[in-house]
Amino acid sequence: MLRAKDLLGLRETSAEEIHEILNTAELMKVVITSNNKKTPHLQGRSIITVFYENSTRTRMSFELACKYMSGTASNISASTSSVSKGETLIDTARTLDVMGTDVMIMRHPMTGAPHLMARNVKAAVINAGDGINEHPTQGLLDMYTMKERFGGVKGLRVAIVGDARHSRVARSNIYGLTKMGASVVVAGPPTLLPPDLDMLGIDVTDRVDDAVRGADVVMGLRIQLERQKKGLFPTVREYHKYFGLTEDRIAMARPHALVMHPGPVNRGVEISSEVMASPESKIDEQVTNGVAVRMALLFMLTRQKPETGGIHI
Ligand code: CP
């Protein structure tokens, strides 16, 4: 069971809850890799994805996860909602709530937007990425991918490489991995490393080779190319040379180390096409595992909401 109504971040999720989510996802993975992707777990339940930022993986995997479990999945975006006519976030959330929604999944450019929504609706709220704060389901699917390969996360050395300053993926992974007993090192250009990162009990360096050497997992982060315009790194070519995940660099990690990336990828910038295509790359597996983890979460969050009866004719 999850303690809270919502899943807003891994900072406030316990190691026991993370264990339970990952174990449940293992059962769900059997469903999505079979030829009968249909279970009754969400029958009679309804979810809405409320995305104020673009997404391919997160939104689609939530919607598929719901459909695979026989639930009703709908979606709304900022441009198609009455937000564009001036409606507030809270009024939009309450409107969707009184339509009988069981779970709302929100992505928003502002840190804390899903938390505000969660305080104002009866539905369970899942944070699908808020500003530069957290992207908890990405952190969970990343840990699931590591567990699948190594049997667990405890004792692993995980190198996270790239723009940690603006990365909600990095933050959720740091909270989750350290809680689960992994050691984490973050590497990137000094301009893209937040100053207080070492307060989170991890190692921080601007030398990628030092971070990658001996790592069990090397995770690249997406470079947001607009950062270059702001002068936070010189050129894309230079970035790739000094901070990109190349074959030479990955060879410094432990034999058979996993290479991961949350996507979307800027090929040839944060990671080379050769590394993406290598057997060590788990990028496709991460996407598949994202569906399993989101099925697990939808199941767990709706299970703890009491049945309200339904129609009796
Ligand atoms: N990793 C991730 O969140 O991808 P999307 O932006 O495509 O959802």
Side-chain angles (χ1 to χ4, degrees), residues 54-59 107 135 138 262-264:
N54 294 341
S55 165
T56 299
R57 292 152 199 77
T58 313
R59 204 188 95 180
R107 173 170 287 187
H135 188 350
Q138 181 70 44

Side-chain angles (χ1 to χ4, degrees), residues 112-132:
H115 305 67
L116 179 68
M117 186 186 223
R119 285 196 295 276
N120 285 282
V121 296
K122 288 202 193 86
V125 175
I126 300 178
N127 179 0
D130 65 321
I132 58 168

Side-chain angles (χ1 to χ4, degrees), residues 51 53-61 107 128-129 135 137-138 141 168-169 222 261-264 286-287 294:
F51 274 51
E53 280 183 2
N54 294 341
S55 165
T56 299
R57 292 152 199 77
T58 313
R59 204 188 95 180
M60 196 46 64
S61 61
R107 173 170 287 187
H135 188 350
T137 57
Q138 181 70 44
L141 75 89
R168 52 200 180 201
V169 173
R222 188 171 75 86
H261 190 296
Q286 285 172 267
V287 175
R294 288 163 181 138

Side-chain angles (χ1 to χ4, degrees), residues 31-32 49 53 63 68 80 107 120 127 139 145 175 177 219 229 257-258 267 283 288 301 308 312:
V31 176
I32 59 171
T49 53
E53 280 183 2
E63 292 179 13
Y68 290 163
T80 60
R107 173 170 287 187
N120 285 282
N127 179 0
T145 306
Y175 291 134
L177 286 165
M219 184 188 297
K229 297 193 189 93
L258 300 189
R267 276 180 186 268
I283 296 173
T288 308
L301 286 171
T308 46
H312 301 282

Side-chain angles (χ1 to χ4, degrees), residues 37 71 108 114 124 138 145 158 194 263 283 285 293:
K37 298 176 189 54
H108 201 283
Q138 181 70 44
T145 306
V158 181
I283 296 173
E285 204 68 27
V293 161

